[in-house]
Amino acid sequence: MQRDEIGGFAEDGSPVIGRITSFTPGTMPEAHAHWRGQLAWCPDRPVTVETELRLHLISSGMAIWLPPKHRHRIRAEGARKSVNLYTRPATAPLPKSPTCFPLEALEAELLRTLAGSSRADRQEPAFARLTAVLWDRLARPAPAPMLPLPADPRLRRIALAHLDGADHSLDHWAAALALSRRSLQRLVRRDTGQSWATWTRDLRLARAIAPLMAGKSVQHAAHAAGYATASGFVAAFHAARGITPGQLQRRMEI
């Protein structure tokens, strides 16, 4: 049987295959795609999910649907458990683009039970009935914080480096990409609609969202975003997003 090396399961033709895996920071997979669609839930901590055009910031109370053959990368601060359902194309009545869903107690238990089922369990009629209930319960997507990612591979490289904590200057990136300062500024403006300063500020602030969703202090989030003081971070966050970090935490119901 063909094996999905990233997902860690053997392809056996079942409409839905469940899998629960654990990752440490050093073993989290690079960007990849599955032949099957993937419903992924990380109950331990918030994660960032990089897709083709967006960076999704997913709390531990949400799952994300990744359609078949959709390239993605899931990362977290620290070790994480991944509870997954892999569905054959057109099996799940879910959207054709990456979508987030809130998980109440019933959905979480269904997902955990289905993901932990064996091949023999998947042959039982009850498995199909439980799966149908889960699809019905996932009828309402939920908004989650996200950050647009540029299509230009040069800007994507800059964006991902900033999100990983590398606050390099305009001059550094212009030299690294063999561009003039002005050419790089024009490229950023053309692809993002923002100035270099505003764009890189937003990238820095995005680093704070996962700690905030995890219930960390504002001071901790400020440090993650590279700010020396919590007050400076709060002011920048409010200017960029129109809400304070505390208000974001309350909206995410941490």
Side-chain angles (χ1 to χ4, degrees):
M1 290 184 290
Q2 182 180 359
R3 185 172 180 83
D4 186 306
E5 295 299 333
I6 299 293
F9 62 88
E11 179 58 65
D12 63 8
S14 300
V16 176
I17 296 176
R19 180 75 176 168
I20 300 176
T21 53
S22 297
F23 297 97
T24 61
T27 63
M28 293 183 196
E30 294 297 320
H32 62 278
H34 304 282
W35 174 76
R36 288 173 173 259
Q38 179 184 7
L39 182 66
W41 172 41
C42 296
D44 302 319
R45 62 183 71 247
V47 295
T48 59
V49 183
E50 176 192 334
T51 60
E52 292 178 356
L53 296 176
R54 293 178 178 85
L55 186 77
H56 306 260
L57 299 122
I58 313 298
S59 73
S60 59
M62 304 182 76
I64 185 167
W65 163 248
L66 299 159
K69 300 181 180 179
H70 201 97
R71 192 169 175 81
H72 62 277
R73 184 185 184 193
I74 303 177
R75 290 186 287 178
E77 286 187 3
R80 67 176 174 90
K81 180 183 293 182
S82 188
V83 180
N84 304 287
L85 292 183
Y86 296 94
T87 73
R88 290 176 61 87
T91 297
L94 296 176
K96 296 182 179 180
S97 59
T99 305
C100 301
F101 294 94
L103 297 179
E104 297 181 7
L106 176 57
E107 295 89 81
E109 191 56 39
L110 284 169
L111 184 48
R112 200 189 306 271
T113 298
L114 293 169
S117 297
S118 67
R119 185 181 182 189
D121 294 331
R122 297 197 294 272
Q123 310 303 316
E124 297 293 331
F127 186 88
R129 292 196 294 269
L130 289 176
T131 303
V133 172
L134 178 61
W135 298 154
D136 285 343
R137 296 285 296 185
L138 297 182
R140 291 179 297 174
M146 66 176 64
L147 184 74
L149 289 175
D152 188 290
R154 295 166 294 182
L155 296 189
R156 194 180 186 93
R157 175 183 166 189
I158 296 173
L160 295 177
H162 271 269
L163 291 167
D164 281 339
D167 292 325
H168 296 311
S169 67
L170 174 65
D171 288 332
H172 169 92
W173 283 112
L177 298 173
L179 295 171
S180 68
R181 283 173 54 93
R182 184 167 297 180
S183 294
L184 180 52
Q185 288 172 318
R186 283 198 299 262
L187 183 61
V188 170
R189 176 71 70 177
R190 186 196 72 194
D191 277 31
T192 72
Q194 296 177 302
S195 68
W196 170 267
T198 301
W199 182 54
T200 53
R201 177 206 64 184
D202 288 354
L203 291 170
R204 290 174 63 198
L205 291 173
R207 302 201 302 253
I209 294 180
L212 290 171
M213 289 194 301
K216 302 292 186 181
S217 69
V218 171
Q219 184 67 52
H220 181 101
H223 178 74
Y227 283 81
T229 65
S231 58
F233 164 67
V234 171
F237 195 96
H238 186 270
R241 294 185 169 268
I243 59 173
T244 67
Q247 288 171 327
L248 175 68
Q249 287 184 314
R250 289 190 288 274
R251 286 187 184 183
M252 299 299 296
E253 298 182 348
I254 296 173

